[in-house]
Amino acid sequence: MPGMAQGHALRDAAKLPPPSADIDCDIVIIGSGAAGLAAAWRLAKEGRRDFIVVEGPEPDGNAAGASMAGQACPTGAHYLPLPSMESRHVREMLQDVGVIVGDAYGRQPEFDERVLVHTPQERLLRAGKWYEDLLPDEVDAPAQRAEHQRFARTIEQLKSAVGSDGRRAFAIPVALSSQDAQWRMLDKLSFRDWLTREGYRSAALHWYANYACRDDYGAGYERISAYAGLHYFASRAGEARNAEPGAVLTWPDGLQSLVRALRARIGFAAGSRLDDRTAPRRMSGFAASVQLKGKGVEALIVQQEGGASRTLRIRARHAICAMPLHVAAHVVNDMPGFGFDAATHLPQSAPWMIANFLMRRFPEERAKSPLAWDNVIYAGKGLGYVVATHQLIRVARPEYTVFSAYDALSERSPQEMRRWLETATPTELLGRAAGDLSMAYEHLWPCVERVDITLRGHGMASPTPGYLSNKGLLALREVDGPLQFAHSDLSGYSVFEEAAWWGEVAARRLL
Amino acid sequence: MRDRILILSVFIVASCGLAYELIAGALASYLLGDTVLQFSSIIGCYLFAMGVGSHLSRYVKDEDALACFIDVELLVGIIGGLSATLLFAIFAWASAPFRTVLYALVFVVGVLVGMEIPLVMRVLYGRKAEMREMVSRVLTFDYLGALVVSLLFPLVLAPRLGMSRTALLFGLLNAGVALLTARVFDKEIKGTRGIRLRGAIVVIMLIGALAFSSQLTRWAEQSVFGDQIVHAETTPYQRMVITRWQDDLRLYLNGNLQFSTRDEHRYHEALIHPAMQSLPGARSVLVLGGGDGLAVRELLKYKTLEHVTLVDLDPAMTHLFSTSAELTAINEHALTNPRVHVINADAGQWLETDAHSYDAIVIDLPDPSNFALGKLYSVPMYRLVSKHLAEHGYVVVQSTSPYFAPHAFWCVVATLREAGFYTWPYHVNVPSFGEWGYVLASRHDSFTQPDHYDVPMHFLDASSTREMFHFPADMLAPDVEPNRLNNQALVHYFEQDWHRVIR
Ligand SMILES: Cc1cc2nc3c(=O)[nH]c(=O)nc-3n(C[C@H](O)[C@H](O)[C@H](O)COP(=O)(O)OP(=O)(O)OC[C@H]3O[C@@H](n4cnc5c(N)ncnc54)[C@H](O)[C@@H]3O)c2cc1C
């Protein structure tokens, strides 16, 4: 559970030793997730050197990965959709790290093909058979098929719909979407209610919509805003010159490869010379408090080594607070003063479980169906599993692979599910984690060497109805001055592009 | 009269019994090699199973003996009759359970055959035949039947009909015995209608299989059929089978013909020399695939060549072609030549780590029949290859058949172009493959077809070279997409093209 001990210590306001050193810098970025690193990348790219990134309890945050028996695998985000036209910041980033190799801002950029997901991209196990599509046409009756086609047509229309303000109806970043009431109204009801209202009855379609919400938002579609539900489908309009529509970018360890490449481009100084103000620096530790002081910001950073902890005081002209909001609410002084009241404005956050199965051989597939990158079980409890070695250019199967099973624990309220996570025994966790895989394979366990489970109690913000008009979030987006906020939470939901967007916005304000 | 019919049945039944045994033994030694062990263990298993069958026959009640005999005949007919076809199919499609299925079939047929004679004897005994005479007659005809088949099988049946059809024929004989017995004794047994129905089904299935057997066997590794297996091995990567028929030695990987010594010189001369003749100063060449060493043999004809690096996935393959006397005679000890460096690795993975550059790169990989192999024919793979190619070097890619799989062939061309290569596709007729294709590619736009060859050739000369680079009207390029990892168009083209041919 990355960050839980530190987080709960902050919440419970543990006693800290007085600061052992003062560090001065121009900008401090607190948090090293996608948002923090995107801000750092922008600053570095525009020539800024005098800044420090405080890693926080988990470097890379929800874009982190791991390694099992030498095989890289994700413990958080695992793919990036093809960036939309609006995502210029992401396109620039991808070009900078060599993932986009041509026409970065055009309709169809050219991508490094090794990173475009290799075929077969996904498959669905339904009634004992694998299908190539999550909504396979051949299974359902004509009436349902007609509904699926109607849904697909609606999405196609929404993908290109443009509002009276000239903006796309559903854009990523969501902040660049049209403000037209006709679509904003959809934020008043749940996605399930919208589907029902529009006369969709097909069980397969309902399953699919629910699956999409659980997969991207960590909660069932009965709890997700209809706007967000449609946004998931309609915002993904990115294209590539050298891939099919709907392709994604992925790496063996998911987005960790991307953030690692970003780190390389930022060019952090080697070693830990925090006083060398001519190069970007990073440091371990987490912020215990952040407050406005004089014309700048002062942050108290706790570093733990072995059992001992020490504190450092950072004095900066500017700070970018790139921590999750549920942490910021405890750490940043006077959040209500910025217009954010944790009790009413904190988005609901979803608990996640990522189980990495180190496989010593590939289990036998039903009917020899080729293993896909993303393998989903119809009506499965989890969200299926991705294969870490899928992108390797190999003929023979590698000696080891890792199957990463994702599960948003959403059948009860997030609070209840977090309580379950805290009390569940390892066997119970493992049983849950293996649910989907055991449905896919008759003989799973002889192939499994080890299982590592990562629990993310507050994995991501879920866009519940009303999230677009969350006043606290709207206020934090606008905060300008010595302190800025940058985190995917500001969007009310969590994807890499949103995190990067807020990093971009914050950094731009300081340039 | 009726007793005579029964005795006649014994004769037929005995010949069928021996026939299945011989077929299983022959198949096992054909397909698995190692004749003595295969043959004796199959016979042992069969005889033991017959013993089990005889033992089981005591549990059949006297009044049921005749009906049971008829059912046993029908079962033997269908199982024994289809056994060879089934074994061929399993051998061709999935090598792993072949042995298990073989012994299981032998055992089942053995048990059933073992029940036959005791049942017949009991029927005759029940019909008040005299013990002494009956035993003597039954066993006489039993052994006579065996003698007939043991002569017919190697002299007539195996060479004329082959295994599958021989087995089907004997299956029909078994079914015939069942139907005849049922007819003659229809007063003495109940449910003759059911028997006739079952019998009809068995006969129809066997005749159907017989009608399709030529297709079935073609489909199931036709050429192994009849040819002798000199070597068969299942490695972690593939199934290797080497067969011989007179002076023709053939290598099959996973059931696909890789070469025949009759005409492999055409394939390999065409693969190597157009590129090499155009690279007079070539010092180092990389070969991806080609673990049989035949491409390397051609390369070594160039005395100026200093290094040949061969990267093949399967150590068993390069080992076999480095050590077997018969095979090194064909590749002229290419793989143990001091100029040659053999590496067993996955081509893509190896290229990612290798830092050298080569004057020529020969890509002689298995056809893109699945997504894993398709990755080696993709744009990123060719980009990687391009990084290892000397500025003026050439790449040559074996690219399936432009005649049978035109979309696949031209997709390889399109893929190389997408990866930044100039291309010169060509083709040659290799009789055992049909029309076969290659793509020559380079990073510069100049290539002139050789009008002579400096090293000795069996096949290539100025005019055959001209023809190779000419695509007649029935082989023109269709419109195709390059093979991207994101969709692997090539694997789909390949599948569709060959499906059209084989259908
Ligand atoms: C299981 C899972 C799967 C996902 N899959 C995808 C996906 O496939 N594609 C996609 O686009 N998105 C995905 N996401 C969402 C994506 O991972 C996030 O949107 C993105 O990584 C969030 O980045 P962030 O910087 O906003 O926040 P975080 O990743 O939450 O980063 C927060 C940072 O703050 C630091 N921090 C915390 N407390 C303190 C403190 N007190 N002091 C200092 N620092 C602190 C942490 O160490 C961390 O570095 C997924 C999320 C999860 C949970």
Side-chain angles (χ1 to χ4, degrees):
Chain A
M1 292 201 195
M4 189 174 92
Q6 297 92 328
H8 288 180
L10 285 175
R11 185 185 66 191
D12 306 335
K15 284 262 173 304
L16 292 170
S20 57
D22 281 331
I23 300 161
D24 292 305
C25 64
D26 186 31
I27 301 168
V28 61
I29 299 173
I30 306 168
S32 65
L37 291 174
W41 169 79
R42 172 59 69 201
L43 292 176
K45 193 144 196 279
E46 305 301 328
R48 298 304 178 90
R49 294 288 174 269
D50 185 12
F51 62 87
I52 297 179
V53 173
V54 180
E55 297 276 10
E58 192 184 25
D60 303 335
N62 285 324
S67 168
M68 294 176 89
Q71 177 57 52
C73 55
T75 62
H78 53 289
Y79 75 96
L80 199 62
L82 295 176
S84 63
M85 288 304 279
E86 291 83 3
S87 280
R88 295 180 64 87
H89 61 299
V90 173
R91 289 169 178 240
E92 187 180 344
M93 206 178 256
L94 292 176
Q95 186 179 36
D96 198 35
V97 300
V99 170
I100 292 186
V101 294
D103 196 16
Y105 303 102
R107 179 146 286 287
Q108 296 195 328
E110 176 155 356
F111 292 82
D112 178 348
E113 242 176 73
R114 288 169 297 181
V115 176
L116 285 166
V117 64
H118 299 177
T119 200
Q121 177 169 344
E122 60 189 12
R123 57 176 184 165
L124 175 74
L125 181 66
R126 191 170 152 183
K129 227 180 120 191
W130 285 106
Y131 296 91
E132 280 175 30
D133 256 309
L134 293 196
L135 204 51
D137 251 352
E138 56 266 47
V139 215
D140 291 299
Q144 275 105 46
R145 272 207 304 252
E147 277 188 20
H148 303 172
Q149 282 154 10
R150 176 157 68 94
F151 182 74
R153 274 197 307 276
T154 306
I155 296 299
E156 273 322 302
Q157 281 161 9
L158 291 179
K159 271 186 181 169
S160 49
V162 176
S164 54
D165 47 7
R167 290 173 162 193
R168 280 212 300 136
F170 296 93
I172 291 187
V174 69
L176 298 186
S177 303
S178 166
Q179 296 295 318
D180 280 11
Q182 103 185 76
W183 297 304
R184 298 250 141 189
M185 267 165 29
L186 296 169
D187 189 29
K188 292 203 167 67
L189 73 170
S190 76
F191 194 30
R192 181 176 63 188
D193 290 348
W194 179 85
L195 283 168
T196 314
R197 191 186 81 184
E198 299 295 311
Y200 291 109
R201 280 189 194 81
S202 154
L205 181 63
H206 275 258
W207 169 82
Y208 181 44
N210 189 27
Y211 172 81
C213 288
R214 294 189 301 137
D215 194 39
D216 247 49
Y217 302 139
Y221 71 154
E222 74 286 356
R223 274 189 266 150
I224 294 298
S225 155
Y227 182 92
L230 289 168
H231 185 269
Y232 167 85
F233 292 103
S235 63
R236 298 177 174 226
E239 292 174 31
R241 188 184 85 79
N242 51 348
E244 317 259 301
V248 299
L249 304 168
T250 188
W251 296 258
D253 51 354
L255 297 192
Q256 185 170 48
S257 285
L258 178 59
V259 292
R260 192 177 293 134
L262 274 187
R263 283 174 181 268
R265 299 298 299 160
I266 295 166
F268 286 115
S272 51
R273 300 262 333 226
L274 289 175
D275 51 351
D276 174 8
R277 298 179 66 161
T278 65
R281 284 142 285 158
R282 57 191 190 85
M283 64 184 284
S284 63
F286 60 94
S289 76
V290 177
Q291 53 189 321
L292 298 176
K293 199 74 174 258
K295 283 192 155 176
V297 182
E298 205 176 271
L300 189 66
I301 309 297
V302 183
Q303 288 187 319
Q304 288 168 321
E305 242 166 86
S309 39
R310 65 167 187 163
T311 60
L312 302 166
R313 184 162 44 209
I314 298 185
R315 291 184 303 223
R317 267 194 336 123
H318 294 280
I320 296 176
C321 173
M323 303 173 272
L325 291 183
H326 71 270
V327 179
H330 293 285
V331 171
V332 178
N333 198 25
D334 192 22
M335 285 293 276
F338 295 108
F340 185 85
D341 172 26
T344 50
H345 296 145
L346 207 54
Q348 174 176 316
S349 75
W352 276 78
M353 171 157 86
I354 303 95
N356 280 312
F357 288 73
L358 176 64
M359 311 293 285
R360 66 170 83 98
R361 59 170 190 273
F362 287 73
E364 197 181 323
E365 295 289 342
R366 283 163 201 258
K368 298 237 154 56
S369 159
L371 188 60
W373 166 67
D374 192 7
N375 306 272
V376 180
I377 316 294
Y378 185 77
K381 238 192 172 154
L383 298 163
Y385 55 98
V386 293
V387 178
T389 49
H390 185 78
Q391 297 292 102
L392 299 183
I393 301 186
R394 303 276 183 280
V395 173
R397 297 193 136 169
E399 202 182 342
Y400 282 103
T401 188
V402 177
F403 287 179
S404 308
Y406 283 77
D407 192 353
L409 301 117
S410 58
E411 66 269 28
R412 278 171 279 138
S413 79
Q415 293 76 6
E416 279 174 278
M417 293 316 291
R418 273 191 285 274
R419 217 166 304 131
W420 180 77
L421 281 183
E422 274 184 283
T423 55
T425 64
T427 323
E428 286 171 328
L429 289 176
L430 186 61
R432 168 132 192 169
D436 281 0
L437 279 164
S438 326
M439 286 174 77
Y441 302 111
E442 218 174 305
H443 304 291
L444 169 71
W445 292 109
C447 308
V448 178
E449 176 115 354
R450 200 176 89 211
V451 183
D452 285 354
I453 299 184
T454 306
L455 301 176
R456 299 184 175 280
H458 299 272
M460 56 170 62
S462 297
T464 49
Y467 81 112
L468 286 181
S469 43
N470 180 327
K471 295 236 163 47
L473 297 184
L474 294 176
L476 290 185
R477 292 179 188 181
E478 302 301 326
V479 172
D480 195 358
L483 185 65
Q484 317 260 346
F485 290 89
H487 190 274
S488 52
D489 280 354
L490 297 187
S491 298
Y493 79 105
S494 179
V495 292
F496 178 89
E497 290 163 280
E498 297 287 349
W501 170 250
W502 296 115
E504 168 83 6
V505 169
R508 288 261 182 224
R509 287 192 188 128
L510 301 182
L511 289 169
Chain B
M1 161 66 195
R2 290 185 180 181
D3 289 359
R4 283 222 200 108
I5 295 271
L6 275 179
I7 295 295
L8 177 70
S9 310
V10 168
F11 177 77
I12 297 175
V13 159
S15 38
C16 295
L18 187 72
Y20 299 134
E21 183 179 341
L22 289 173
I23 289 170
L27 259 179
S29 37
Y30 263 171
L31 299 179
L32 299 173
D34 197 0
T35 317
V36 177
L37 178 70
Q38 294 306 342
F39 226 100
S40 43
S41 58
I42 291 285
I43 290 178
C45 174
Y46 194 80
L47 289 177
F48 170 67
M50 282 178 67
V52 174
S54 309
H55 175 76
L56 290 180
S57 69
R58 67 183 290 191
Y59 298 108
V60 177
K61 288 203 209 89
D62 278 341
E63 60 270 30
D64 295 340
L66 193 54
C68 181
F69 171 73
I70 293 173
D71 280 335
V72 165
E73 284 313 292
L74 286 177
L75 270 177
V76 178
I78 189 79
I79 299 177
L82 288 173
S83 60
T85 310
L86 192 71
L87 286 171
F88 267 121
I90 287 174
F91 183 80
W93 287 93
S95 55
F98 177 74
R99 214 177 282 261
T100 322
V101 176
L102 172 69
Y103 281 94
L105 269 177
V106 166
F107 191 83
V108 170
V109 174
V111 168
L112 292 171
V113 170
M115 294 177 75
E116 289 171 334
I117 301 295
L119 286 175
V120 174
M121 286 197 182
R122 277 169 53 191
V123 173
L124 287 171
Y125 187 65
R127 295 169 61 76
K128 315 256 170 348
E130 198 195 327
M131 184 70 172
R132 188 177 46 154
E133 201 206 353
M134 180 214 41
V135 171
S136 130
R137 272 174 66 191
V138 166
L139 291 184
T140 307
F141 278 90
D142 184 10
Y143 293 124
L144 256 181
L147 173 70
V148 171
V149 167
S150 65
L151 294 175
L152 268 183
F153 180 75
L155 297 178
V156 182
L157 297 171
R160 288 279 163 84
L161 294 179
M163 301 295 153
S164 290
R165 271 179 283 184
T166 304
L168 289 167
L169 198 72
F170 280 102
L172 280 170
L173 284 178
N174 277 122
V177 166
L179 289 175
L180 186 69
T181 317
R183 199 190 152 100
V184 174
F185 291 94
D186 71 344
K187 298 262 156 42
E188 293 170 38
I189 35 178
K190 285 169 264 152
T192 39
R193 275 192 54 188
I195 290 174
R196 252 180 265 137
L197 184 68
R198 268 170 279 161
I201 294 174
V202 169
V203 169
I204 288 171
M205 282 176 68
L206 291 173
I207 290 182
L210 206 55
F212 285 103
S213 72
S214 60
Q215 265 126 309
L216 282 173
T217 43
R218 183 149 23 100
W219 161 77
E221 222 164 288
Q222 168 194 41
S223 45
V224 172
F225 196 60
D227 290 11
Q228 189 199 341
I229 306 247
V230 246
H231 183 92
E233 182 176 358
T234 303
T235 77
Y237 305 107
Q238 56 200 343
R239 176 153 183 84
M240 291 178 351
V241 177
I242 295 172
T243 69
R244 190 212 321 271
W245 171 251
Q246 295 175 352
D247 62 346
D248 182 11
L249 208 67
R250 292 174 170 222
L251 167 68
Y252 294 84
L253 295 181
N254 298 332
N256 297 317
L257 179 62
Q258 301 299 302
F259 70 74
S260 147
T261 45
R262 290 240 171 110
D263 56 19
E264 59 80 13
H265 64 277
R266 281 201 177 194
Y267 177 89
H268 290 102
E269 285 182 5
L271 176 70
I272 298 299
H273 300 295
M276 286 304 285
Q277 178 67 28
S278 313
L279 288 168
R283 305 233 311 255
S284 72
V285 174
L286 171 65
V287 182
L288 301 179
D292 54 26
L294 297 174
V296 176
R297 177 195 66 200
E298 294 301 312
L299 286 168
L300 291 175
K301 292 181 178 168
Y302 295 87
K303 297 296 169 229
T304 52
L305 199 59
E306 290 167 9
H307 306 286
V308 177
T309 308
L310 177 119
V311 180
D312 191 286
L313 183 59
D314 196 345
M317 173 94 174
T318 47
H319 178 76
L320 184 67
F321 280 87
S322 310
T323 52
S324 144
E326 254 168 323
L327 300 173
T328 52
I330 304 170
N331 67 23
E332 296 170 10
H333 300 274
L335 297 185
T336 46
N337 186 296
R339 289 190 279 159
V340 177
H341 183 36
V342 176
I343 293 164
N344 294 116
D346 209 317
Q349 183 174 25
W350 182 82
L351 272 183
E352 284 165 12
T353 53
D354 176 62
H356 296 95
S357 109
Y358 304 87
D359 297 310
I361 300 181
V362 177
I363 307 185
D364 189 13
L365 294 166
D367 291 340
S369 54
N370 59 42
F371 290 133
L373 282 164
K375 288 189 174 197
L376 294 188
Y377 290 79
S378 64
V379 179
M381 175 70 183
Y382 291 147
R383 291 229 165 93
L384 196 58
V385 166
S386 169
K387 288 199 187 117
H388 289 80
L389 186 65
E391 199 184 329
H392 294 287
Y394 290 104
V395 176
V396 59
V397 185
Q398 96 73 10
S399 315
T400 87
S401 169
Y403 190 79
F404 299 115
H407 296 86
F409 177 81
W410 292 101
C411 175
V412 177
V413 178
T415 310
L416 283 158
R417 285 172 171 275
E418 176 75 16
F421 283 105
Y422 295 92
T423 56
W424 298 272
Y426 61 101
H427 61 98
V428 68
N429 190 283
V430 184
S432 60
F433 286 1
E435 203 63 36
W436 213 255
Y438 314 79
V439 187
L440 187 78
S442 81
R443 297 217 303 265
H444 54 80
D445 187 16
S446 71
F447 170 72
T448 329
Q449 299 165 17
D451 54 7
H452 74 284
Y453 291 90
D454 294 332
V455 296
M457 295 292 149
H458 293 289
F459 168 69
L460 283 189
D461 58 19
S463 80
S464 56
T465 304
R466 250 192 324 277
E467 262 173 52
M468 283 200 314
F469 284 88
H470 172 69
F471 280 84
D474 62 353
M475 276 206 273
L476 294 184
D479 212 14
V480 288
E481 279 176 59
N483 186 39
R484 306 185 179 292
L485 290 176
N486 176 244
N487 62 5
Q488 293 235 17
L490 177 61
V491 177
H492 299 293
Y493 290 141
F494 182 81
E495 215 167 73
Q496 283 160 13
D497 284 349
W498 283 104
H499 185 71
R500 220 168 295 146
V501 177
I502 292 171
R503 176 192 57 114

